[in-house]
Amino acid sequence: MHLAYPAVLAALLFCVGLYGVLARRNAILVLMSVELMLNAVNLNLVAFDVWLRDALHSGQALTLFTIAIAAAEIGIGLAIVLAVYRSRGSSAVDELRDTAEGPDDPDDDTEGTAAEEPLSDDPAQKSQKAEATA
């Protein structure tokens, strides 16, 4: 068998995976696209290992390592996606921001007003302010 067939198939798989990573908004579909790209790399490794007739079968050994890394990546990635979905209610990649960052409102300029307010000794007001900032 010619080397061109698996190489072209791997290139097509990688391009489809790359398109999925760049165009998708759902985090699970992005993870699936990354897996597709890794499988394209695995196909290339095995195809070149067979074509070169390597006695050590290093392409196949690297494929096993890539499969192990992909399994770990998908496990950790799904755990992160589930945690984000539970906390925010959406797994859209466009809506993800730093968890410490609040909503982006350019009209809301409250960063410098905390130091300007007088401090009170009333514990009820302090707890209300703590709840409002949290």
Side-chain angles (χ1 to χ4, degrees):
M1 179 164 62
H2 296 286
L3 181 63
Y5 297 130
V8 168
L9 179 62
L12 289 174
L13 283 174
F14 193 85
C15 289
V16 169
L18 186 65
Y19 173 74
V21 167
L22 295 176
R24 297 293 177 185
R25 293 186 179 157
N26 190 350
I28 294 179
L29 291 177
V30 170
L31 286 173
M32 288 173 57
S33 298
V34 169
E35 289 293 322
L36 199 60
M37 292 167 62
L38 287 173
N39 285 332
V41 170
N42 288 340
L43 182 60
N44 266 336
L45 284 171
V46 171
F48 276 97
D49 182 51
V50 170
W51 184 63
L52 293 173
R53 294 184 176 93
D54 188 16
L56 295 176
H57 299 293
S58 57
Q60 294 177 17
L62 285 174
T63 300
L64 289 176
F65 284 117
T66 307
I67 291 171
I69 289 170
E73 174 256 335
I74 204 70
I76 292 171
L78 283 176
I80 291 171
V81 168
L82 284 175
V84 166
Y85 182 77
R86 285 182 183 167
S87 67
R88 298 193 182 204
S90 174
S91 65
V93 177
D94 294 341
E95 297 175 4
L96 296 180
R97 300 221 184 258
D98 192 7
T99 56
E101 188 177 312
D104 291 334
D105 189 9
D107 298 332
D108 188 21
D109 191 22
T110 59
E111 292 178 12
T113 59
E116 298 169 0
E117 295 177 3
L119 296 175
S120 65
D121 293 330
D122 188 19
Q125 287 180 351
K126 287 182 181 180
S127 66
Q128 288 175 351
K129 286 182 184 179
E131 289 175 2
T133 58

